[in-house]
Amino acid sequence: MPARANGPLPATQPTSGDLSAWGHVQLARHPQRPHSLDYFQRILGGFSEIHGDRAFGDDPAIVCGFGSFRGRQVMAIGQQKGRNTEERVHRNFGMPRPEGYRKALRCMKLAEKFARPIITLLDTPGAYPGKDAEERGQAEAIARNLHEMASLQVPLVAVCIGEGGSGGALALGVGNRVLMLENAIYSVISPESCAAIVWRDSGKAELAANALKLTASDLSQLGLVDRIVPEPPGGAHENLDAAAQLLADAVEGELEALTALSAEQLVEQRYSKFRKMGAFFEEAVSADG
């Protein structure tokens, strides 16, 4: 089994099918795992980054821009963690602030204006919970993205490439199609935080990971993910070019199907998709209460 987050991973990783949920958490957090810009550099041509939310400032934790993807112009939006210490601090470890989500929404609206499909890459521990983010309306920014993305009249493919942390990831994840790399994770809470709340012990994160059903296979079985994108043996970090090729092939297939739909059909399909998520039970109530 791979080591915990604060320890080194073995040089040779087991195959995805052999991993526990905690093993997938370790691979999703691998320090050499490719991030959004790694994929953009390999699958997009002429990527031109757009900065700022036209209200407060720019947030380097989210990168946005137009680019050419296999013969079609698209809007690409991704969460970026950073590779070394300096870059991670600059990118706030991939935890966006409100201006990041507002920048992303501004770019989505630009894509809609010019009838360009949207590709979003999700990779964040979660939205930044700091005081400054709360003061600038973090919750409102995330909620507005969810609301506006539901009615976008262009195809939107969302891909979880690493950590899909709660609303911080979902704010870019309301897509017509939601994909996950096979070693990515997507959850309402991190295993450590879940363990700290449920068992008062963050050291039980491995137990929490199993209970959270956060792996791609778990979420696919629950109907929350439409497609699992395979990774090279050992994980995406073992062969970045091959990982990018596999991701691009999957996204291209989804866009081919979605571009055949009208704007009205795209909105209806996206709305219906998310309305069907979850489970509930109805209990019969007698006339006398």
Side-chain angles (χ1 to χ4, degrees):
M1 181 182 297
R4 292 182 180 272
N6 57 355
L9 286 161
T12 303
Q13 295 292 340
T15 62
S16 177
D18 298 329
L19 288 174
S20 66
W22 185 243
H24 284 285
V25 172
Q26 300 306 290
L27 279 186
R29 295 172 174 173
H30 194 286
Q32 296 305 316
R33 189 171 180 84
H35 300 314
S36 293
L37 285 177
D38 295 313
Y39 287 113
F40 290 168
Q41 290 164 2
R42 288 165 173 79
I43 70 174
L44 298 177
F47 179 67
S48 180
E49 189 172 351
I50 298 171
H51 295 275
D53 67 343
R54 299 268 179 99
F56 178 82
D58 188 42
D59 184 357
I62 293 182
V63 292
C64 315
F66 283 113
S68 174
F69 174 70
R70 295 191 171 180
R72 58 164 58 91
Q73 291 295 311
V74 301
M75 171 63 73
I77 301 171
Q79 292 161 328
Q80 181 70 15
K81 288 182 173 179
R83 187 66 62 198
N84 54 42
T85 300
E86 182 180 1
E87 189 178 345
R88 286 171 184 161
V89 171
H90 174 62
R91 304 282 182 183
N92 200 34
F93 298 86
M95 295 184 290
R97 291 178 166 88
E99 49 271 24
Y101 294 114
R102 291 175 180 136
K103 173 175 68 172
L105 181 57
R106 179 168 81 89
C107 290
M108 291 180 206
K109 289 295 187 180
L110 273 177
E112 184 178 47
K113 178 179 179 179
F114 294 108
R116 301 287 190 256
I118 301 169
I119 302 169
T120 64
L121 303 185
L122 319 181
D123 188 18
T124 179
Y128 183 58
K131 181 174 180 286
D132 59 329
E134 296 299 328
E135 289 174 340
R136 296 197 294 274
Q138 184 75 287
E140 186 277 340
I142 292 173
R144 182 163 296 278
N145 274 32
L146 301 180
H147 178 268
E148 296 291 342
M149 291 179 77
S151 59
L152 289 171
Q153 298 188 6
V154 291
L156 199 161
V157 177
V159 188
C160 183
I161 61 171
E163 285 189 273
S166 192
L170 186 60
L172 300 184
V174 184
N176 293 97
R177 299 287 287 175
V178 178
L179 284 56
M180 275 185 77
L181 269 62
E182 66 174 310
N183 291 311
I185 59 173
Y186 203 167
S187 176
V188 70
I189 192 171
S190 71
E192 292 84 356
S193 296
C194 176
I197 293 171
V198 176
W199 294 287
R200 310 286 184 182
D201 182 3
S202 61
K204 294 186 177 179
E206 184 171 352
L207 181 61
N210 291 325
L212 284 169
K213 303 296 182 183
L214 44 63
T215 68
S217 59
D218 287 333
L219 295 169
S220 178
Q221 291 173 14
L222 291 170
L224 304 179
V225 169
D226 300 304
R227 180 171 179 172
I228 298 175
V229 181
E231 296 184 24
H237 62 284
E238 294 288 350
N239 190 331
L240 272 64
D241 291 335
Q245 180 74 25
L246 290 166
L247 173 65
D249 289 343
V251 172
E252 182 181 32
E254 301 297 347
L255 287 181
E256 286 290 342
L258 292 173
T259 50
L261 302 180
S262 67
E264 293 77 13
Q265 289 173 320
L266 287 168
V267 173
E268 177 58 30
Q269 186 271 345
R270 197 182 305 123
Y271 176 82
S272 298
K273 170 185 173 59
F274 281 85
R275 286 289 293 174
K276 292 176 183 176
M277 290 183 179
F280 64 93
F281 299 93
E282 290 186 351
E283 184 175 343
V285 178
S286 62
D288 57 5

